[in-house]
Amino acid sequence: MTLLGPPSSGKSTLMRALSGKLDKNLKVSGNITYCGHKFSEFCPERTSAYASQYDLHNAEMTVRETLYFSRLCLGIGSRYDKLIEISRREHSAGIKPDPEIDAFMKATAMQGQETNIIIDVVLKVLGLDICADTIIGDEMIRGFSGGQMKRVTTGEMLIGPARALLMDEISTGLDSSSTFHIIKFISHLVHIMNETVIISLLQPPPETYNLFDDIILLSEGYIVYHGPREDILDFFEASGFRCPPRKGVADFLQEVTSKKDQQQY
């Protein structure tokens, strides 16, 4: 699901509210529920993950060390004991596990940042495998570029156990091809792992826009549209706004909700 809207329309505030990261001093009306459960019934920090627009990292750690440390902090450590117990119960019940699944489970349970297959997969997908052992750096320590920094921020969130992922402007500093490949990987993750992902973008290119299943369109703090991507043009056409031929849908949605640009439609 993508969250579209002009700057200052409330995208970041909405995502912070959904992840339970709003300032405690703010007055909030209404309820936010996950599968019918309120925030008071579970820990939203373990269920959802929010990646902000700002990249904050330890400059002296490498990319691999950063992802490994993030994985431990998010509650995924060594699972040797669980794997031994599963093997014992399978043996006593006479169950022969699938060889590929069994090998994958053993690989993911390996302890140590050098051998963890999940970290290797995330590094490969995000294009960070070529600089996995390079320190991140900052203004005082030479590291890598801002685009790679944004990928590390995205990887920190993907590495954890959260089932609801809220990603705020992850395309900042990335070229359109890199953004497309990252979002394509996340879309596969959604369909295979049955996760919920909301990604806020300003003006995604058409090929990236077409990867999403649902659209939330914000304007001045109000939800203008929330529904399937295929129905959004029919919705605005029924309201009297037709998208011109060869016009990018994302660009049309930004303009049709703007008082200054709406007149041309």
Side-chain angles (χ1 to χ4, degrees), residues 102-118:
D102 189 53
F104 178 77
M105 289 183 64
K106 290 178 179 177
T108 56
M110 291 289 285
Q111 188 175 17
Q113 59 202 31
E114 296 85 3
T115 56
N116 194 288
I117 190 172
I118 298 298

Side-chain angles (χ1 to χ4, degrees), residues 196-231:
T196 300
V197 179
I198 300 179
I199 303 175
S200 73
L201 298 171
L202 193 58
Q203 285 181 296
E207 61 272 11
T208 301
Y209 172 83
N210 290 332
L211 292 174
F212 292 99
D213 299 318
D214 296 312
I215 305 293
I216 298 177
L217 182 61
L218 283 181
S219 179
E220 298 181 2
Y222 291 93
I223 294 181
V224 179
Y225 176 85
H226 177 204
R229 172 178 52 83
E230 295 84 359
D231 299 338

Side-chain angles (χ1 to χ4, degrees), residues 3-134:
L3 181 60
L4 301 177
S8 302
S9 61
K11 299 192 296 294
S12 297
T13 304
L14 175 60
M15 298 182 105
R16 284 182 172 275
L18 294 176
S19 59
K21 295 185 181 296
L22 280 181
D23 190 340
K24 302 300 181 183
N25 296 323
L26 289 176
K27 293 183 179 179
V28 181
S29 60
N31 293 315
I32 299 174
T33 60
Y34 278 57
C35 299
H37 298 281
K38 298 181 180 179
F39 278 176
S40 58
E41 300 178 43
F42 66 100
C43 183
E45 289 79 10
R46 293 293 303 273
T47 305
S48 63
Y50 171 73
S52 73
Q53 304 178 43
Y54 309 105
D55 306 311
L56 300 174
H57 303 290
N58 189 317
E60 298 179 355
M61 294 176 66
T62 66
V63 178
R64 190 184 300 275
E65 290 170 345
T66 300
L67 294 186
Y68 180 67
F69 179 70
S70 174
R71 184 172 170 83
L72 293 180
C73 290
L74 291 170
I76 297 183
S78 174
R79 297 193 295 269
Y80 283 120
D81 296 337
K82 291 183 180 179
L83 197 61
I84 292 172
E85 178 64 18
I86 289 174
S87 299
R88 186 188 65 79
R89 294 191 181 189
E90 285 177 343
H91 181 72
S92 62
I95 298 174
K96 293 183 178 180
D98 184 280
E100 294 182 358
I101 296 177
D102 189 53
F104 178 77
M105 289 183 64
K106 290 178 179 177
T108 56
M110 291 289 285
Q111 188 175 17
Q113 59 202 31
E114 296 85 3
T115 56
N116 194 288
I117 190 172
I118 298 298
I119 293 178
D120 290 337
V121 169
V122 172
L123 288 171
K124 185 71 175 179
V125 167
L126 297 177
L128 294 170
D129 51 328
I130 58 174
C131 58
D133 299 310
T134 304

Side-chain angles (χ1 to χ4, degrees), residues 134-240:
T134 304
I135 63 171
I136 293 177
D138 58 8
E139 293 82 0
M140 302 297 293
I141 303 174
R142 184 174 181 180
F144 48 53
S145 66
Q148 290 171 317
M149 192 89 74
K150 177 61 69 176
R151 298 183 194 209
V152 175
T153 304
T154 303
E156 280 184 326
M157 185 184 66
L158 293 177
I159 207 77
R163 313 302 293 176
L165 311 179
L166 307 164
M167 314 173 77
D168 197 356
E169 294 287 353
I170 63 168
S171 59
T172 304
L174 297 179
D175 57 89
S176 57
S177 177
S178 299
T179 304
F180 173 80
H181 286 296
I182 291 173
I183 293 180
K184 186 176 182 180
F185 164 72
I186 295 173
S187 68
H188 290 318
L189 192 71
V190 168
H191 294 133
I192 295 173
M193 304 296 291
N194 196 26
E195 295 188 355
T196 300
V197 179
I198 300 179
I199 303 175
S200 73
L201 298 171
L202 193 58
Q203 285 181 296
E207 61 272 11
T208 301
Y209 172 83
N210 290 332
L211 292 174
F212 292 99
D213 299 318
D214 296 312
I215 305 293
I216 298 177
L217 182 61
L218 283 181
S219 179
E220 298 181 2
Y222 291 93
I223 294 181
V224 179
Y225 176 85
H226 177 204
R229 172 178 52 83
E230 295 84 359
D231 299 338
I232 192 167
L233 291 181
D234 294 336
F235 170 80
F236 278 102
E237 188 170 335
S239 302

